Amino acid sequence: MDKIIIEGGRRLKGEVRISGAKNAALPILVSSLLADGVNTYSNVPDLKDIQSIKLLLTHLGAKIVSADSIVRIDAGGLCNYEAPYDLVRKMRASILVLGPLVARLKKAKVSLPGGCAIGERPINLHLRGLEQLGAKIELKHGYVEVSADGLKGDDIFFDVPTVTGTENIMMAAVLAEGTTVLRNAAREPEIVALADALKKMGAEIHGAGTSVITISGVNELHPISNEIIPDRIEAGTFMVAAALTQGDLTLTNCEPDHLKAFIHKLTLTGTKVHHVDKQCIRVIGPDEIKSVDVKTLPYPGFPTDMQAQFTVLMSVAKGLSIISESIFENRFIHVSELKRMGADITISGNSAMIKGVSKLSGAPVMATDLRASACLILAGLVAQGTTTINRVYHLDRGYEAIEKKFTQVGALIKRVNG
Ligand code: EPZ
């Protein structure tokens, strides 16, 4: 398994191009199942999760051609309604094929995704939404089997604003008979991006980005060309890198508007964020990082996917801070590794009490999930000495060529195979 080795203590300076958003590309590539013909997607990030979803779509009968960040998908040959365990276990977002398969083939059999390091990750709200649209749900031998003579619109209230739950039911509803209203829907930019792609395909959707989304079913959709929006979490990760290293980074092809809550908190640490133009920001790290309290919330609140990265920043800030994780039940796994690097953090329930230290020290550490891996890279960049990060396959799921991007702005970072 690959490792990443970092010599800490370098100030990062230069320009980084942000890649397309993993969490927008995944549902949008899956939405190709909703129409016959060739959909062309650009700015698709080259990630393990994208490879996984392309494998699954091919398994279902889609024809896929990829070149650089362009992906063409023709779902005209959609013939298989089963998403097998060996494909789904690699990436839980595979559950997103449920909605489109039921909408197109009137049936689906998808391996239950199971939990992951950060929490149980249930899909009860996905299934309840499909049931309300008239689907029959059976759980058998680790699979969820869904069938429906035809889907009919309904008024669906999500107990919590689930991101992929909102995406799944939105994709099921666009070809349903009548009107579907999603209440307490997720409001992330990735939801708006999916709705924009579906509307381009001919769907009738109003309210994406708010907590009430109204979908009027249509008879059929047509293929489109679509550009994937920038990855706000990758952008946030590099912004923290600038803040940590007293650096000066200019991020291009990014969307600062998608990071308002995070940027607000980052500026309170003393970090300067200059809006160069609509898709370009310059981030300058402070000489002394101020402690700031954070609570993760559904969008537009502070994103849970930035919690681990912000925890590193607070671990070398001046003073005390409290970071509360309100979305997932086990998203402080990275803390034990940070403490091995000298961080002073105490976990109590869903909060981390962080007492800033003057320095972290490099150490061999273990990545446990995607964003925890990113946090360990950030810690290595600012730590004194050498940090070796094991199990970097977690990282490759969601960050495109991250060590190359960090090298370009002055980091001493390399990947070691084996
Ligand atoms: C999406 O996961 C993202 N993944 C996650 O990013 C992100 O952390 C998460 O949203 C929250 O923003 C993708 O978009 C592919 P949820 P998702 O359903 O949809 C509970 C990353 O690092 N819930 O919004 O799986 C659930 O337990 C990943 O890129 C139910 O109870 O998250 C959680 O507490 C990590 N029942 C809360 O809702 C359900 O049926 C939010 O989960 C569904 C969810």
Side-chain angles (χ1 to χ4, degrees):
M1 282 189 267
D2 289 1
K3 294 180 180 166
I4 283 188
I5 300 174
I6 304 171
E7 289 303 325
R10 310 271 296 197
R11 295 180 68 168
L12 304 186
K13 204 166 166 46
E15 191 170 292
V16 178
R17 185 187 185 283
I18 299 303
S19 302
K22 166 176 84 80
N23 290 349
L26 291 170
I28 288 172
L29 265 59
V30 169
S31 71
S32 63
L33 296 178
L34 290 165
D36 288 344
V38 180
N39 287 280
T40 301
Y41 303 110
S42 57
N43 199 37
V44 179
D46 179 14
L47 303 169
K48 285 263 184 294
D49 275 9
I50 298 298
Q51 289 162 20
S52 300
I53 205 71
K54 289 196 288 189
L55 258 180
L56 175 55
L57 295 175
T58 305
H59 175 83
L60 298 174
K63 288 188 180 39
I64 300 182
V65 176
S66 304
D68 299 329
S69 65
I70 308 280
V71 175
R72 289 189 174 80
I73 302 180
D74 180 351
L78 181 62
C79 55
N80 181 359
Y81 61 87
E82 182 171 339
Y85 173 70
D86 67 325
L87 290 179
V88 174
R89 70 181 174 81
K90 290 194 187 96
M91 189 197 49
R92 49 174 302 93
S94 308
I95 199 67
L96 282 166
V97 301
L98 258 188
L101 285 176
V102 179
R104 283 295 303 283
L105 300 181
K106 305 286 180 273
K107 55 186 169 183
K109 182 180 174 186
V110 179
S111 168
L112 284 163
C116 75
I118 63 177
E120 185 210 340
R121 313 293 295 275
I123 58 165
N124 58 313
L125 301 179
H126 299 235
L127 302 182
R128 193 191 304 163
L130 288 172
E131 266 180 335
Q132 280 196 247
L133 296 178
K136 183 166 159 281
I137 309 276
E138 287 183 276
L139 301 182
K140 281 196 280 195
H141 312 301
Y143 280 76
V144 56
E145 298 189 24
V146 187
S147 57
D149 297 335
L151 296 177
K152 265 176 77 63
D154 199 359
D155 197 308
I156 296 169
F157 187 94
F158 289 116
D159 298 1
V160 290
T162 160
V163 173
T164 47
T166 301
E167 292 164 347
N168 228 336
I169 304 307
M170 193 156 66
M171 289 193 280
V174 291
L175 292 174
E177 186 195 326
T179 300
T180 298
V181 180
L182 305 184
R183 299 184 192 281
N184 197 26
R187 301 169 53 189
E188 274 70 3
E190 292 77 26
I191 303 277
V192 176
L194 173 62
D196 288 346
L198 291 169
K199 287 190 278 190
K200 243 173 148 178
M201 295 173 81
E204 288 178 26
I205 302 173
H206 300 282
T210 75
S211 55
V212 180
I213 301 175
T214 303
I215 301 139
S216 305
V218 295
N219 292 327
E220 67 173 6
L221 299 177
H222 55 78
I224 56 168
S225 294
N226 183 280
E227 180 176 334
I228 301 299
I229 62 170
D231 193 313
R232 60 193 169 101
I233 305 303
E234 184 194 20
T237 303
F238 278 98
M239 292 173 76
V240 169
L244 271 170
T245 62
Q246 297 178 341
D248 181 348
L249 291 182
T250 297
L251 306 188
T252 61
N253 188 51
C254 67
E255 200 66 76
D257 281 357
H258 292 165
L259 278 168
K260 284 183 177 158
F262 164 74
I263 290 175
H264 166 66
K265 288 291 182 179
L266 189 68
T267 50
L268 294 180
T269 69
T271 304
K272 297 279 176 268
V273 179
H274 303 295
H275 293 257
V276 178
D277 69 31
K278 186 154 175 8
Q279 292 214 311
C280 178
I281 46 171
R282 183 180 172 197
V283 186
I284 299 171
D287 294 337
E288 182 179 84
I289 300 161
K290 296 188 182 77
S291 291
V292 175
D293 294 343
V294 158
K295 178 174 183 178
T296 66
L297 288 167
Y299 195 89
F302 189 98
T304 174
D305 292 349
M306 281 305 305
Q307 181 259 101
Q309 299 91 315
F310 208 82
T311 300
V312 180
L313 187 61
M314 290 300 98
S315 67
V316 290
K318 188 152 181 58
L320 278 167
S321 59
I322 295 179
I323 293 189
S324 303
E325 172 57 58
S326 75
I327 307 293
F328 291 112
E329 62 267 31
N330 189 33
R331 203 167 197 175
F332 284 123
I333 313 160
H334 47 281
V335 166
S336 50
E337 294 301 279
L338 290 178
K339 289 170 80 168
R340 294 184 54 247
M341 297 177 73
D344 183 349
I345 306 175
T346 306
I347 301 293
S348 170
N350 69 346
S351 291
M353 264 68 78
I354 307 170
K355 186 165 175 288
V357 294
S358 55
K359 65 174 177 50
L360 295 177
S361 57
V365 290
M366 185 79 72
T368 50
D369 64 86
L370 171 54
R371 306 305 171 183
S373 322
C375 123
L376 293 174
I377 287 210
L378 294 172
L381 290 172
V382 76
Q384 283 186 338
T386 306
T387 299
T388 303
I389 301 163
N390 297 287
R391 294 192 186 170
V392 289
Y393 57 82
H394 291 290
L395 196 69
D396 296 334
R397 291 189 45 212
Y399 287 92
E400 187 177 41
I402 193 165
E403 70 270 20
K404 290 194 183 76
K405 291 188 178 185
F406 272 122
T407 301
Q408 280 166 357
V409 291
L412 287 178
I413 179 172
K414 65 181 178 187
R415 180 184 289 255
V416 174
N417 300 57

